[in-house]
Amino acid sequence: MLSRTADHLFWMARYMERAENTARILDVTYRLSLLPQNGQEVEAMWSGMLKIMELQDCFLAKHPQFTTEAVLDYMIFDRDNPGSIYRCLRATRENAHAVRGTLTSELWETSNATWLKMRDFSFPKMMESGPGAFFEWVKYRSHLSRGVTIGTMLQDEALRFIRLGTFLERADNTARILEVKYLNLLPGAEGDAETADYYQWSALLRSVSAFEVYRKVYRDHITPLRVAELLILRADMPRSLARCMKEVYSNLTRVANSRSAETERLAGELESHLRFGRIERIFEGGLRKYLETFRDSIFDLGCRISDDFLIPTSA
């Protein structure tokens, strides 16, 4: 497969997954902002969300305060913000258009229709019907795109690069949610953390579609250790780090070439650490440090995949 084609497929999937994860993070933060609290706490919450996305400085260059309306507008509709849902869905469509002949007609039509509908939205219209409805629409379109991809695409290299992009992006976003959202909710010691507000914990789990899964797996009250275990080490949890890396490694081995041996080795090493890891050991070494190291590894892996298979990014 041509590097340029693989590049467009890889980033098409990453941008669609990024749009969905941005909607998830915005949704849970918006819900938490509606709970009884003062204005400073709401600002701190939105500031923490932007910290997840590494967009605090860019936001402050355009807005003086972390208000709900300003952050929502910036993260959804701002055409200058490369992390906004608008920009992600536009990039998804642009990459799909570039490789339209490689995609099935159903997948192309899904991507195109999503972008056309996105152009019809506006901030006032969205606030009139409620942000929650818009976030659900974004998640639904992402689910639809993923389902159409699996249901119609040939099981060849094109699909492998799409899946690589999806799970690499998902791993990065799950780690970000845990690193900032989880630790901001629970700034104290573990004993204090276990008494954290039920609604905050449930909102965190719902942000990664894990609330019902948690209840089914643990059948217990929500605790920091169990949440971390579910979202880091449980390979049967679709959005866990372990599941994402299992998919990344599996798809990477199926598109291997003469240059990718070291990239495969590093991906396999990261996958095995998650497969055989113990959450107690992770907590002993420090959860924040573990997640920072993981995100650095994901970034390095993405760069190596670009160098080995795609169009290398300029330095």
Side-chain angles (χ1 to χ4, degrees), residues 73-92:
D73 188 36
Y74 181 73
M75 290 303 302
I76 297 173
F77 296 104
D78 195 309
R79 301 187 182 193
D80 297 323
N81 173 15
S84 71
I85 292 175
Y86 179 94
R87 285 283 297 271
C88 287
L89 294 181
R90 187 178 74 180
T92 299

Side-chain angles (χ1 to χ4, degrees), residues 29 40-56 59-60 65-67 71 180 184:
T29 309
Q40 289 183 333
E41 291 172 327
V42 172
E43 282 200 30
M45 193 175 296
W46 286 116
S47 175
M49 191 281 301
L50 287 170
K51 185 178 179 181
I52 295 175
M53 313 304 292
E54 299 180 1
L55 289 169
Q56 281 180 320
F59 174 85
L60 289 173
Q65 287 183 300
F66 296 103
T67 64
V71 175
V180 180
N184 278 355

